[in-house]
C-alpha cells in the first residue's frame, strides 16, 4: 500500500533549524489485572498529559528534521502529537476514511506472572526495558471506516524486558494482520504474533525447524519421549494477540487523530520449547485520516 506524506512548509523547516531537545516520556509500569478492552480513566488522562508536552513534535515538525538532527535523540522512537484539535470525535465529518502513517509508541510493558502463593491470583508485574529505543511501530496503513484492517508497514519490533527477579522475556511487539471493529471512540480486534525466531534458526545443539539435526541426544531412540519432544520438535506457528484503541483527540482540519492503546500478546516460546507469557503493552498511537 502506498503512503502519502505531507509536504513540509519552509516555515516549519526554519522553526526546526536548531537541533531540538526532546523531553523524555515517562514510562509508567503498573501491575493490573488483565481486562483487555477496558482502558482505565487514569491511563487515558496520563497519556493525554504526556501527548501535550511542550517538547513534543508534530508530524510536520518531525518531517522537517534532518537525519543528523534526529540521530541519538530518541525522537525516531516517538509518535507525532496533535498541535490542535478536539476531544469531541463527533466533529469529524462522516464518511469512509483511509488510515495512513499509523504509529504506536509503547509507554509501559508488563508481564503476567503466576502468584508465589498457593491459590494466588496471577498479575501483570512491572518490567525493565532491555531493548534500546527501537520498539515503536510506524508507517502502518489500513482501509475502512467501520473495520480497521492493518495492511503493511513497519509492523513488528523485537523487544526484551526483564522481570524483577532477573528473568528476561523476549517478544515480538506487533499488530500484524490486525482486524479491529468498533466505533470512532473505541475499536478493538485480534492480530497475529509471528514466531520470534524463524524456522532456519539453530539452537545451541544445532536443531532447527527446517534445517539442522532432528535431535541432539546420546540415545536417538529416546528423542521422541515426551520430555524431549518439545526441545527436538521446533514450532514456528503464529500465535494470537488482542488490542483495543481509544481516541483522545482529533483534528478535523488536518485529519490527524491520536489516542491510547492497550494490547495483550504472547511472548517468545523458544520455538515451542517453553510456554508463552502474556505481555501487556500500553501506550500512545497516532494516525492520519484521508478520504
Amino acid at each position: 500500500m502506498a503512503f502519502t506524506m505531507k509536504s513540509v512548509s519552509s516555515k516549519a523547516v526554519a522553526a526546526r533549524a536548531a537541533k531540538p531537545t526532546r523531553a523524555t516520556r515517562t514510562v509508567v509500569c503498573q501491575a493490573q489485572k488483565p481486562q483487555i478492552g477496558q482502558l482505565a480513566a487514569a491511563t487515558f488522562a496520563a497519556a493525554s498529559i504526556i501527548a501535550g508536552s511542550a517538547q513534543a513534535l508534530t508530524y510536520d515538525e518531525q518531517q522537517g528534521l534532518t537525519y543528523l538532527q534526529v540521530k541519538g535523540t530518541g525522537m525516531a522512537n516517538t509518535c507525532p502529537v496533535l498541535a490542535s484539535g478536539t476531544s469531541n470525535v463527533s466533529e469529524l465529518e462522516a464518511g469512509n476514511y483511509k488510515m495512513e502513517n499509523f504509529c504506536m509508541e509503547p509507554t509501559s510493558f508488563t508481564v503476567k506472572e503466576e502468584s508465589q502463593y498457593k491459590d494466588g491470583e496471577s498479575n501483570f508485574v512491572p518490567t525493565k526495558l532491555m531493548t534500546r529505543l527501537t520498539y515503536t511501530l510506524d508507517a502502518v496503513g489500513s482501509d475502512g471506516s467501520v473495520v480497521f484492517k492493518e495492511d503493511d508497514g513497519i509492523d513488528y519490533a523485537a523487544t526484551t524486558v526483564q522481570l524483577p527477579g532477573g528473568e528476561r522475556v523476549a517478544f515480538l511487539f506487533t499488530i500484524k494482520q490486525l482486524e479491529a471493529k468498533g466505533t470512532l471512540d473505541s475499536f478493538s480486534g485480534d492480530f497475529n504474533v509471528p514466531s520470534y525466531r524463524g524456522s532456519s534458526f539453530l539452537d545451541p545443539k544445532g536443531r532447527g525447524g527446517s534445517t539442522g539435526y532432528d535431535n541432539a541426544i546420546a540415545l536417538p531412540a529416546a528423542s521422541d519421549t515426551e520430555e524431549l519432544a518439545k526441545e527436538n520438535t521446533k514450532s514456528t506457528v503464529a500465535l494470537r494477540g488482542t488490542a483495543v484503541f481509544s481516541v483522545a483527540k482529533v483534528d478535523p482540519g488536518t485529519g490527524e487523530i491520536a489516542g491510547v492503546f492497550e494490547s495483550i500478546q504472547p511472548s517468545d516460546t523458544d520455538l515451542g520449547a517453553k510456554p508463552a507469557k502474556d505481555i501487556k503493552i500500553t501506550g500512545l498511537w497516532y494516525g492520519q485520516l484521508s478520504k
Side-chain angles (χ1 to χ4, degrees):
M1 174 179 178
F3 299 110
T4 58
M5 306 294 285
K6 292 185 178 179
S7 60
V8 184
S9 64
S10 58
K11 182 178 179 181
V13 174
R16 305 309 303 178
K19 186 174 182 177
T21 56
R22 177 59 187 245
T24 303
R25 293 187 176 179
T26 305
V27 177
V28 181
C29 296
Q30 297 178 344
Q32 300 179 3
K33 296 180 181 179
Q35 294 181 342
I36 189 67
Q38 298 179 354
L39 292 178
T43 304
F44 191 91
S48 299
I49 293 173
I50 294 173
S53 171
Q55 295 294 333
L57 300 180
T58 65
Y59 178 79
D60 284 341
E61 289 174 336
Q62 286 188 352
Q63 296 302 302
L65 299 177
T66 65
Y67 169 77
L68 292 179
Q69 287 177 314
V70 175
K71 180 182 178 182
T73 64
M75 285 188 294
N77 194 53
T78 60
C79 291
V81 297
L82 273 64
S84 61
T86 176
S87 59
N88 184 10
V89 295
S90 62
E91 294 187 16
L92 189 66
E93 183 181 351
N96 295 328
Y97 292 87
K98 178 173 62 175
M99 179 83 80
E100 296 180 315
N101 297 320
F102 184 74
C103 175
M104 294 175 64
E105 178 187 343
T107 58
S108 171
F109 299 95
T110 55
V111 179
K112 188 177 182 181
E113 280 285 88
E114 300 295 331
S115 174
Q116 57 181 330
Y117 303 104
K118 185 178 181 181
D119 299 328
E121 194 170 340
S122 300
N123 287 319
F124 284 89
V125 300
T127 62
K128 177 182 178 182
L129 182 66
M130 306 305 295
T131 305
R132 300 184 67 182
L133 301 180
T134 56
Y135 48 78
T136 294
L137 307 185
D138 199 1
V140 179
S142 70
D143 293 296
S145 58
V146 177
V147 177
F148 183 98
K149 185 177 180 181
E150 189 262 344
D151 289 336
D152 57 10
I154 307 174
D155 54 6
Y156 67 93
T159 310
T160 301
V161 295
Q162 181 172 291
L163 294 171
E167 179 186 358
R168 295 189 178 184
V169 180
F171 62 96
L172 203 65
F173 173 44
T174 184
I175 54 165
K176 277 187 175 294
Q177 300 175 357
L178 169 69
E179 292 191 16
K181 298 180 180 180
T183 64
L184 188 57
D185 291 319
S186 178
F187 48 93
S188 60
D190 297 335
F191 55 89
N192 285 333
V193 181
S195 174
Y196 186 81
R197 295 186 175 94
S199 61
S200 60
F201 176 82
L202 298 179
D203 68 9
K205 294 187 177 181
R207 297 169 297 189
S210 60
T211 185
Y213 297 111
D214 292 333
N215 59 77
I217 59 175
L219 298 175
S223 62
D224 294 330
T225 58
E226 184 176 352
E227 61 270 19
L228 296 176
K230 63 181 182 180
E231 294 285 351
N232 292 327
T233 305
K234 304 299 183 182
S235 173
T236 57
V237 176
L239 303 178
R240 298 288 286 175
T242 183
V244 58
F245 301 84
S246 293
V247 177
K249 198 174 184 180
V250 62
D251 188 339
T254 62
E256 294 177 295
I257 189 170
V260 292
F261 75 90
E262 177 182 282
S263 70
I264 293 181
Q265 64 167 78
S267 68
D268 172 38
T269 63
D270 197 13
L271 293 175
K274 59 184 180 182
K277 294 180 180 290
D278 285 337
I279 311 290
K280 179 188 286 186
I281 307 166
T282 60
L284 314 174
W285 66 271
Y286 164 91
Q288 297 175 356
L289 300 177
S290 61
K291 288 191 176 181

